[in-house]
Amino acid sequence: MKRSGKNIKLAIQKTGRLTEATLQLLKNMGIEFEMYKDRLFTRSKNFDLEILWLRDDDIPEYVQDQVCDLGIVGENMLKEKGVQVTILERLGFGKCRLSLAVSEKSPIKKIKDLSGKKIATSYVRSLNDFLKKENIKGNVIGIKGSVEIAPMLGIADAVCDLVSTGTTLRTNGLKEIATIFESEALLIQSPKLEKAKRKNIENFLMRLQASIRADSTKYVMLNAPRKALKKIQSIMPSMSSPTVMPLANTEMVAIHSVIPEKILWEFIEKLKRAGGRDILVTPIEQIVI
Ligand code: PRP
Ligand code: ZN
């Protein structure tokens, strides 16, 4: 593929576990593009960006070999392929783990019991590395898809596969015995980048980080008696410096602050106990710092 100019080429998963969240992220970043049914390649209408829709398995190598400048891909694929790329950002979605699992009735209980056993996986490299590290001589059987049915078919004693919700394991009567690694979606960059693209990538990254930051936070507004202000300020998360505004009723103030979503409810309970009321919570679109 010919590479030129300042247009960034971004590889994303065509269909799969990361696709929906990836598209939502690009949308939150204000990047617009057409969606075609049999798409392979799309050019953004308002950003110097070309999107390549690929199988997730191919993304690490495409980015390493500079066919694409950037890629959004699971850490699992990156580890399995063992490529040389730069991780620009952890994206916080597509969380899963690579695990070892056996049939619920299996006598295999711990990883040492895997010695001499057949283990089916499409993560041959990751599994081999793990077995080597644990000093276990297993018999690794590489298969492409539907690894979870291998024990039922009698072709393996155990599987090594990705687990996200755990539904696939449960429906196939399997239970986890060990986790090899945890994974989430990453933004990766080609090791060598043309100079002309750098500024553009900086802008892309600024938008992406602003969207990610905003996604994990809420904007909280409330009214409180002026005399409760000190107490309320003391329960604010350390990073946030609240905005305090007078109200027509001089005994009251309005307080605004950005709050991490994961502590939101705990924070609201504390606010109420401290005298806060009329509490409004709204989403934030972008946080540029
Ligand atoms: C993985 C894995 C399981 C499933 C587990 O496949 O191979 O089939 O997800 O998810 P669960 O715990 O939520 O049931 P994936 O969707 O990544 O497809 P791929 O390996 O073909 O890309
Ligand atoms: Zn895949």
Side-chain angles (χ1 to χ4, degrees):
M1 201 176 298
K2 176 109 176 63
R3 290 156 49 86
S4 61
K6 61 181 174 144
N7 262 11
I8 318 173
K9 288 192 175 72
L10 168 73
I12 68 172
Q13 188 180 28
K14 190 172 158 69
T15 40
R17 68 167 68 239
L18 301 183
T19 310
E20 202 185 317
T22 302
L23 294 178
Q24 187 60 48
L25 175 61
L26 294 173
K27 187 167 168 247
N28 293 349
M29 290 165 66
I31 293 176
E32 291 171 15
F33 50 90
E34 299 285 348
M35 300 270 288
Y36 304 107
K37 200 166 149 282
D38 292 310
R39 65 223 163 173
L40 279 173
F41 178 87
T42 329
R43 195 180 299 259
S44 168
K45 293 187 275 187
N46 62 354
F47 199 95
D48 293 322
L49 177 80
E50 289 159 22
I51 298 170
L52 281 91
W53 308 78
L54 302 173
R55 288 179 57 223
D56 63 343
D57 315 47
D58 295 330
I59 294 176
E61 275 117 331
Y62 273 49
V63 174
Q64 173 181 258
D65 302 343
Q66 288 181 269
V67 178
C68 302
D69 308 297
L70 299 177
I72 293 180
V73 71
E75 203 172 356
N76 53 304
M77 270 304 151
L78 204 61
K79 287 193 162 143
E80 178 59 20
K81 302 291 175 181
V83 293
Q84 293 298 317
V85 297
T86 310
I87 297 173
L88 290 186
E89 199 64 48
R90 308 187 73 82
L91 301 176
F93 61 83
K95 291 199 175 162
C96 58
R97 56 192 180 271
L98 185 68
S99 285
L100 284 158
V102 295
S103 158
E104 271 154 12
K105 295 180 213 97
S106 171
I108 301 170
K109 303 274 182 243
K110 49 187 191 311
I111 50 175
K112 296 286 177 214
D113 302 337
L114 289 169
S115 181
K117 301 287 190 227
K118 285 186 260 179
I119 313 166
T121 191
S122 40
Y123 287 81
V124 172
R125 181 197 191 108
S126 305
L127 177 57
N128 275 327
D129 287 352
F130 177 78
L131 293 175
K132 198 168 163 208
K133 196 179 85 205
E134 296 291 329
N135 207 7
I136 296 169
K137 284 212 159 30
N139 181 0
V140 175
I141 301 174
I143 50 180
K144 281 261 183 259
S146 304
V147 168
E148 62 276 4
I149 59 167
M152 225 183 316
L153 296 178
I155 56 172
D157 307 295
V159 299
C160 162
D161 199 8
L162 285 188
V163 182
S164 166
T165 59
T167 312
T168 307
L169 290 189
R170 268 196 302 280
T171 46
N172 289 284
L174 301 171
K175 60 168 189 222
E176 281 177 86
I177 57 163
T179 300
I180 296 183
F181 59 65
E182 309 266 345
S183 168
E184 68 180 290
L186 304 174
L187 176 71
I188 57 170
Q189 180 187 286
S190 192
K192 283 196 213 121
L193 203 64
E194 286 167 69
K195 242 194 170 139
K197 300 191 179 190
R198 284 193 194 145
K199 190 77 208 145
N200 201 3
I201 289 196
E202 256 172 50
N203 287 335
F204 181 86
L205 198 57
M206 181 187 71
R207 286 196 192 195
L208 180 134
Q209 287 166 336
S211 299
I212 294 178
R213 255 182 237 119
D215 219 24
S216 57
T217 53
K218 296 282 181 205
Y219 196 68
V220 176
M221 298 170 266
L222 65 139
N223 294 335
R226 191 176 283 279
K227 59 182 180 358
L229 186 58
K230 255 214 157 72
K231 172 87 184 138
I232 289 179
Q233 272 175 324
S234 75
I235 59 176
M236 290 283 168
S238 53
M239 291 294 288
S240 62
S241 170
T243 308
V244 180
M245 287 160 286
L247 290 175
N249 173 351
T250 51
E251 278 169 22
M252 298 288 288
V253 286
I255 304 167
H256 292 193
S257 186
V258 175
I259 300 296
E261 193 171 14
K262 58 176 189 283
I263 61 152
L264 181 68
W265 283 106
E266 188 191 318
F267 178 65
I268 289 176
E269 284 158 22
K270 284 189 193 159
L271 281 180
K272 290 203 65 155
R273 280 201 295 274
R277 62 174 105 127
D278 315 321
I279 303 170
L280 300 183
V281 179
T282 62
I284 299 175
E285 286 203 359
Q286 310 291 339
I287 301 179
V288 182
I289 53 173

